[in-house]
């Protein structure tokens, strides 16, 4: 009975906010809710699914060439489930934090809750600083990767400009995301983004099967431990897109309904990533070891150019997803987060884009940078820290007794939950961060030695006059 009473209190608070958001009955208000102002379960699902795949869809065949077909499939399924588990943990901690604060009459109508604030409220400033460092650094490089991917993709349509020049251009384009206030306002973008990645994934699969295997194709992977663990950490990165889970939950009218959303989104994403990666690797084999962007091997057709254009638009959307939490942190730091002036907030956000732009020009290594970010940052941001934070938050008997969200009995209750959390921490620490970090850094340093920093055109074929 006690847990049901708590749940009613939580739902009541969110329902009060929902009624407020549904207050507008004007035509402009209806259009705003239709295209711009979303907060439903479906919006959250589209946001999670759209944000999860992004440009990494184009590097998964490259990972398969490093891992081999069987390991590639197994790691996708394994890390997909593990990512869904830690997203669930984050959602539990968010609801716990928000419920405690709302019982203290804290009003979040003009304030977006973020992961580091959840850690601060539940565990103190040291956890807050840890979460803030890893989350912001990961999102910074996640945004960098989107710019690199934009330049890498557009080059396959127009190679009159080198990739570095395209990075300059798309850096300016992506800077316009400063005008999107919050995740409430990604409704239409999330919906379109998922359509774009769905098209691209199935284009890659069908085009590879129609193309057939290249002459003398070889599928030698795995051949080296360095390549094997580099590929594994790229897949770890693939299903570690929930660094923005708290912000997506906060944009929902009823965040307590988030629990299963990430898992369902992951299952859909697997229907895109597995067929496309398997088909491209089957067709091109070891050629992918030197072509980290799968689109570079597929013949140029109208369908391929369409896929490139759609992925470019999607990368703009994903850049916004990765950068928006950084915008929030910066707004809070300089004291403009709760202002209602959209222009003032947009201007205040611009300095966040500059270091992202600069880093994309320094490290243009499409593919290898995913694995490096996955092993060194994603491993802690979305796997180790959430699992450990959940265990510490509910370490005491009173905390478990008064928990807003209790673990399902089918998982073995608290004992089962703690067992899974310990497994996640140990596995990711040893395999993801330890072995993956070692392999990814070696591979990343090789790219620097081969192409140099500020590479003008990474992995570009010789330009035809």
């Amino acid at each position: 009975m006690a847990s049901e009473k708590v749940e009613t209190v939580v739902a009541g608070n969110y329902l009060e906010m929902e009624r407020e958001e549904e207050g507008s009955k004007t035509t402009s208000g209806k259009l705003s809710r239709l295209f711009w102002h979303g907060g439903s379960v479906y919006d959250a699902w589209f946001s999670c699914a759209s944000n999860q795949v992004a440009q990494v869809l184009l590097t998964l065949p490259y990972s398969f060439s490093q891992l081999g077909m069987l390991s590639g499939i197994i790691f996708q399924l394994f890390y997909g489930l593990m990512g869904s588990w830690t997203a669930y943990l984050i959602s539990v901690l968010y609801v716990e934090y928000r419920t405690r604060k709302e019982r203290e009459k804290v009003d979040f109508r003009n304030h977006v809750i973020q992961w580091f604030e959840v850690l601060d409220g539940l565990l103190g400033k040291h956890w807050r600083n840890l979460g803030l460092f890893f989350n912001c650094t990961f999102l910074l490089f996640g945004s960098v990767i989107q710019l690199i991917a934009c330049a890498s993709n557009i080059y396959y349509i127009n190679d009159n400009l080198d990739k570095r020049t395209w990075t300059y251009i798309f850096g300016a384009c992506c800077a316009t995301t400063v005008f999107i206030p919050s995740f409430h306002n990604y409704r239409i973008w999330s919906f379109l983004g998922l359509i774009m990645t769905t098209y691209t994934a199935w284009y890659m699969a069908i085009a590879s099967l129609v193309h057939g295997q290249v002459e003398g194709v070889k599928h030698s992977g795995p051949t080296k431990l360095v390549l094997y663990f580099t590929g594994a950490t790229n897949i770890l990165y693939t299903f570690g897109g929930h660094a923005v889970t708290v912000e997506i939950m906060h944009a929902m009218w009823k965040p307590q309904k988030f629990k299963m959303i990430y898992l369902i989104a992951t299952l859909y994403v697997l229907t895109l990533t597995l067929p496309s990666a398997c088909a491209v690797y089957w067709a091109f084999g070891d050629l992918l070891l030197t072509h980290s962007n799968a689109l570079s091997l597929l013949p140029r057709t109208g369908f391929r150019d369409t896929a490139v254009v759609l992925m470019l638009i999607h990368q703009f959307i994903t850049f916004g997803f990765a950068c928006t939490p950084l915008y929030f942190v910066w707004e809070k730091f300089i004291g403009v987060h709760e202002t209602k002036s959209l222009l003032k907030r947009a201007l205040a956000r611009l300095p966040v884009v500059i270091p992202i732009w600069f880093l994309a020009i320094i490290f243009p290594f499409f593919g290898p940078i995913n694995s490096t970010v996955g092993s060194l940052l994603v491993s802690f941001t979305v796997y180790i820290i959430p699992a450990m934070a959940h265990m510490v938050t509910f370490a005491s008997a009173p905390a478990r007794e008064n928990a807003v969200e209790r673990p399902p009995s089918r998982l073995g209750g608290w004992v089962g939950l703690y067992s899974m959390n310990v497994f996640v921490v140990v596995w990711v620490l040893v395999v993801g961060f330890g072995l993956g970090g070692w392999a990814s850094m070696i591979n990343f340093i090789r790219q620097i030695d081969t192409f140099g920093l500020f590479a003008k055109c990474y992995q570009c074929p010789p330009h035809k006059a």
Side-chain angles (χ1 to χ4, degrees):
M1 290 297 291
S3 63
E4 292 177 4
K5 188 173 182 180
V6 170
E7 184 67 26
T8 302
V9 171
V10 174
N13 283 332
Y14 296 132
L15 286 171
E16 181 183 342
M17 295 180 71
E18 181 183 17
R19 286 196 296 271
E20 180 181 307
E21 295 295 343
E22 291 179 347
S24 175
K25 299 297 181 184
T26 63
T27 302
S28 61
K30 290 176 181 178
L31 288 173
S32 175
R33 287 199 304 278
L34 181 62
F35 294 109
W36 176 253
H37 206 62
S40 69
V41 169
Y42 301 103
D43 289 307
W45 184 84
F46 279 116
S47 292
C48 288
S50 177
N51 184 49
Q52 195 174 128
V53 280
Q55 50 73 37
V56 79
L57 181 71
L58 308 178
T59 67
L60 287 173
Y62 167 66
S63 296
F64 270 49
S65 69
Q66 297 169 319
L67 289 164
M69 186 78 79
L70 180 60
S71 289
I73 294 171
I74 291 172
F75 271 115
Q76 277 205 39
L77 295 172
F78 177 65
Y79 282 135
L81 291 174
M82 187 181 286
S84 299
W85 172 253
T86 53
Y88 164 74
L89 297 179
I90 292 172
S91 73
V92 169
L93 292 172
Y94 169 86
V95 171
E96 184 73 27
Y97 167 78
R98 183 160 180 175
T99 304
R100 291 184 188 182
K101 287 296 181 183
E102 289 188 346
R103 286 174 183 162
E104 298 170 5
K105 308 302 181 185
V106 177
D107 191 337
F108 292 111
R109 283 180 177 85
N110 294 317
H111 182 94
V112 177
I113 299 172
Q114 294 188 266
W115 176 229
F116 71 91
E117 293 169 315
V118 172
L119 292 173
D120 188 21
L122 296 176
L123 298 169
K125 66 177 183 179
H126 296 302
W127 281 86
R128 175 201 66 196
N129 294 339
L130 190 68
L132 190 61
F133 170 77
F134 277 104
N135 217 48
C136 288
T137 309
F138 166 47
L139 291 170
L140 178 75
F141 278 97
S143 304
V144 168
I145 288 169
Q146 300 312 314
L147 285 189
I148 295 170
C150 285
S152 178
N153 288 343
I154 191 64
Y155 186 80
Y156 299 117
I157 289 183
N158 185 337
D159 61 0
N160 292 323
L161 299 176
D162 58 75
K163 291 181 182 179
R164 188 168 66 194
T165 304
W166 281 119
T167 304
Y168 291 134
I169 293 169
F170 278 100
C173 294
C174 288
T176 58
T177 56
V178 298
F179 291 101
I180 302 177
S182 74
F183 284 98
H184 274 303
N185 313 113
Y186 274 95
R187 165 170 278 186
I188 189 66
W189 291 115
S190 297
F191 174 72
L192 292 175
L194 194 58
I195 292 175
M196 293 168 187
T197 50
T198 299
Y199 171 87
T200 303
W202 284 109
Y203 155 72
M204 287 167 60
I206 294 169
S208 298
L209 294 174
V210 170
H211 180 278
Q213 291 184 313
V214 295
E215 187 177 351
V217 65
K218 292 182 181 179
H219 300 90
S220 10
T223 55
K224 298 177 181 178
L225 283 177
V226 169
L227 293 179
Y228 188 84
F229 287 108
T230 300
T233 50
N234 187 42
I235 296 178
L236 180 83
Y237 170 84
T238 304
F239 295 99
H242 43 287
V244 295
T245 298
V246 170
E247 287 83 1
I248 291 173
M249 284 187 72
H250 192 81
M252 295 176 68
W253 307 145
K254 290 183 274 190
Q256 71 272 28
K257 290 191 173 183
F258 184 85
K259 299 175 197 173
M260 298 295 290
I261 288 176
Y262 197 89
L263 175 61
I264 298 169
T266 297
L267 294 177
Y268 178 78
V269 166
L270 286 169
T271 69
L272 306 180
T273 58
L274 284 172
S276 59
C278 290
V280 176
Y281 180 53
W282 169 82
F284 298 101
D286 290 355
L287 283 176
L288 286 158
L289 289 169
T290 54
H291 294 78
S292 49
N293 188 333
L295 293 177
S296 64
L297 288 172
L298 291 166
R300 182 170 183 179
T301 62
F303 292 111
R304 195 195 77 163
D305 286 354
T306 301
V308 171
V309 171
L310 292 180
M311 287 306 291
L312 284 171
I313 300 171
H314 187 268
Q315 276 143 13
F316 164 81
I317 299 168
T318 310
F319 181 93
F321 267 108
C323 232
T324 298
L326 294 176
Y327 294 152
F328 292 154
V329 172
W330 179 248
E331 288 172 0
K332 292 170 185 176
F333 179 72
I334 63 175
V336 300
H337 180 60
E338 297 187 6
T339 182
K340 293 185 178 179
S341 170
L342 179 60
L343 181 60
K344 186 176 180 180
R345 289 179 66 190
L347 292 173
R349 291 172 169 189
L350 280 173
V352 177
V353 180
I354 295 171
I356 294 169
W357 209 348
F358 187 62
L359 287 168
I361 294 164
I362 297 176
F363 304 114
F365 310 127
F366 188 77
I369 194 172
N370 291 15
S371 301
T372 307
V373 170
S375 60
L376 302 183
L377 299 173
V378 175
S379 56
F380 281 94
T381 305
V382 295
Y383 293 100
I384 295 173
I385 292 176
M388 291 186 69
H390 192 279
M391 289 191 287
V392 176
T393 298
F394 298 106
S396 67
R400 293 194 297 273
E401 183 64 28
N402 297 317
V404 177
E405 297 280 354
R406 300 191 179 198
S409 56
R410 61 180 178 273
L411 293 177
W414 289 105
V415 173
L417 185 144
Y418 268 73
S419 300
M420 291 186 70
N421 284 348
V422 169
F423 173 78
V424 168
V425 171
V426 172
W427 177 276
V428 176
L429 194 61
V430 174
V431 178
F433 176 72
L435 295 171
W438 162 76
S440 298
M441 284 306 297
I442 288 177
N443 191 38
F444 192 75
I445 291 168
R446 284 176 182 168
Q447 306 303 311
I448 295 174
D449 290 341
T450 304
F451 296 95
L453 298 176
F454 298 96
K456 192 173 183 179
C457 211
Y458 176 69
Q459 287 189 342
C460 293
H463 189 76
K464 295 178 181 178

